[in-house]
Amino acid sequence: MSSPAETGVLPGHPFVHLRGQDLFAEEVSLAGLAAEHGTPLFVYSKAAMLAALAAYQRGFAGRDAQICYAMKANSSLGVLQVFAQAGCGFDIVSGGELDRVLAAGGTAAKVIFSGVGKTPREMRRALEVGIGCFNVESEAELHVLSRVAQELGVSAKVSIRVNPNVDPKTHPYISTGLKDNKFGVAHEETLRVYQLAASLHGLKVVGIDCHIGSQITQLTPYLDAMDRVLDLVDAIEAAGIALQHIDFGGGLGIDYQGDTPPAADALWAQLLAKIDARGHGGKKLMIEPGRSLVGNAGLCLTEVLYVKPGEQKNFCIVDAAMNDLPRPAMYQAFHRIVPVSAPSPLAPSARYDVVGPICESGDWIGRDRALQVQGGEVLAVLSAGAYCMSMSSNYNTRGRAAELLVDGAVVHVIRERESTADQMRQERLVRA
Ligand SMILES: *Cc1c(COP(=O)(O)O)cnc(C)c1O
């Protein structure tokens, strides 16, 4: 990867720009942030999040629509607060995520609860605070939700997650809409499951939902999935079960490595045209975008610890690792890596595997990257706003990184660096 000083732009990152030789996030120098707050350090741009949200809002202008941020992409409270204040709802997948929404000032009525393994305890809590809808993924779950709702004397609003069996043409681990996935109800069984849901006490059928995968960069899977969902809507309504909303999930990709996903507003212009043409334009629309709202609004600053030349390979050892940035190890994912300042003219220029300090060969962040670096320099790992901090761990007893939210020239610390004492707080020595 050539330095931004050569190319002048950071693809996919409209909020990051060069001033002289230095990279800035909005009005703030990244080198300055690393010096002040230490590394590894996540830096998010509020403007970039709101710009990503605005693309969806433009797409839904004049429609009855609800954008529910799929918070598993990045569930830090300061990030949730940005979306809550912008009027978003939230797509949650656990009771813990519900607690976070409420702590960040989100509205329970705008929460939808997805996931194949909701526990009765999680259902009860969600009903007590009055969430908007349960996206139910199996018959067995319908029975349990019906029982829990009746015990509380309330009615649970439900939508059934259907599996449209289209190939999203993405990594197998993040493809969720194919037949052999654990997610959703098979296309052929949908009508029967809706009839069951309509017959059970304590449930009120309100919608239908699907989510076909993640990091989708092509239009066709979305258009195909919408057709299949609308076929089901027709069949369900023909059976006398009215649906108020269509929830089309998330999954829109971002530019990690020259990827060219459709823009959210352009995608929805096409999907809405289809919905209208098939006579369902009056229904409320819901979506659950995660990655596309935050992925390119964040980056991770990391300091080069050592440069280690080798016979086969050169290694650039940095202070961020797979516990901070798990995507390369988990999915062989690509993140662009760029220096935040002009490289020292003394630094050797070479191709490097950029790796972390963790004792695993899988601990790499980038492979075969052209870099001019030496110890002490700071690199930015781009596209690190989604599925990084929220998937981070303490492996090797590494504290989680700090997180900053940049808003113009103002910097908010939204997560302090985790100490070893923080990590050990719940542990107990055995008494002799
Ligand atoms: C993960 C997930 C999303 C968000 O996916 P992105 O690819 O981040 O947009 C939405 N809905 C459900 C049910 C999910 O599991």
Side-chain angles (χ1 to χ4, degrees), residues 88-338:
C88 284
F90 296 90
D91 175 48
I92 65 167
V93 290
S94 73
E97 288 195 342
L98 179 56
D99 292 339
R100 283 184 172 273
V101 168
L102 299 176
T107 309
K110 293 186 191 171
V111 167
I112 50 184
F113 195 167
S114 299
V116 295
K118 303 175 194 81
T119 65
R121 176 199 290 265
E122 289 174 320
M123 292 172 176
R124 199 167 296 122
R125 168 91 174 128
L127 287 168
E128 279 165 359
V129 303
I131 68 158
C133 188
F134 289 82
N135 287 349
V136 174
E137 304 222 14
S138 64
E139 285 183 61
E141 185 190 337
L142 276 180
H143 286 288
V144 173
L145 183 58
S146 163
R147 193 193 76 220
V148 173
Q150 288 179 78
E151 283 165 7
L152 288 175
V154 299
S155 166
K157 288 185 228 153
V158 300
S159 149
I160 309 278
R161 176 167 174 181
V162 300
N163 190 335
N165 198 27
V166 300
D167 184 352
K169 306 209 164 35
T170 184
H171 190 285
Y173 284 10
I174 50 178
S175 149
T176 55
L178 281 166
K179 270 193 168 156
D180 51 357
N181 282 135
K182 68 178 175 182
F183 299 103
V185 168
H187 203 261
E188 311 76 58
E189 286 167 26
T190 301
L191 187 54
R192 193 174 51 75
V193 176
Y194 265 92
Q195 282 166 331
L196 171 68
S199 73
L200 288 173
H201 292 291
L203 303 184
K204 178 168 170 42
V205 174
V206 292
I208 187 167
D209 73 280
C210 79
H211 171 72
I212 59 171
S214 202
Q215 185 54 19
I216 299 167
T217 55
Q218 299 178 27
L219 205 54
T220 317
Y222 272 123
L223 292 171
D224 292 350
M226 184 59 89
D227 264 324
R228 306 211 64 181
V229 168
L230 294 175
D231 290 345
L232 291 171
V233 172
D234 289 338
I236 293 160
E237 296 204 317
I241 302 168
L243 298 177
Q244 294 161 24
H245 78 244
I246 298 173
D247 172 353
F248 204 51
L252 185 59
I254 61 170
D255 176 5
Y256 284 106
Q257 188 181 14
D259 310 282
T260 52
D265 46 355
L267 168 67
W268 275 95
Q270 300 225 29
L271 290 171
L272 286 167
K274 189 178 276 299
I275 293 172
D276 290 344
R278 295 195 48 178
H280 293 293
K283 290 198 164 55
K284 180 173 182 172
L285 291 165
M286 319 245 283
I287 51 165
E288 307 162 354
R291 186 190 314 273
S292 54
L293 291 180
V294 291
N296 274 346
L299 52 79
C300 181
L301 299 178
T302 182
E303 186 178 317
V304 177
L305 299 174
Y306 306 105
V307 166
K308 185 175 173 185
E311 248 176 52
Q312 304 276 337
K313 266 186 176 177
N314 304 309
F315 291 99
C316 170
I317 301 165
V318 298
D319 68 356
M322 65 187 280
N323 73 302
D324 307 295
L325 296 162
R327 298 186 62 261
M330 272 187 85
Y331 318 113
Q332 289 85 48
F334 181 95
H335 288 272
R336 291 185 173 105
I337 303 171
V338 297

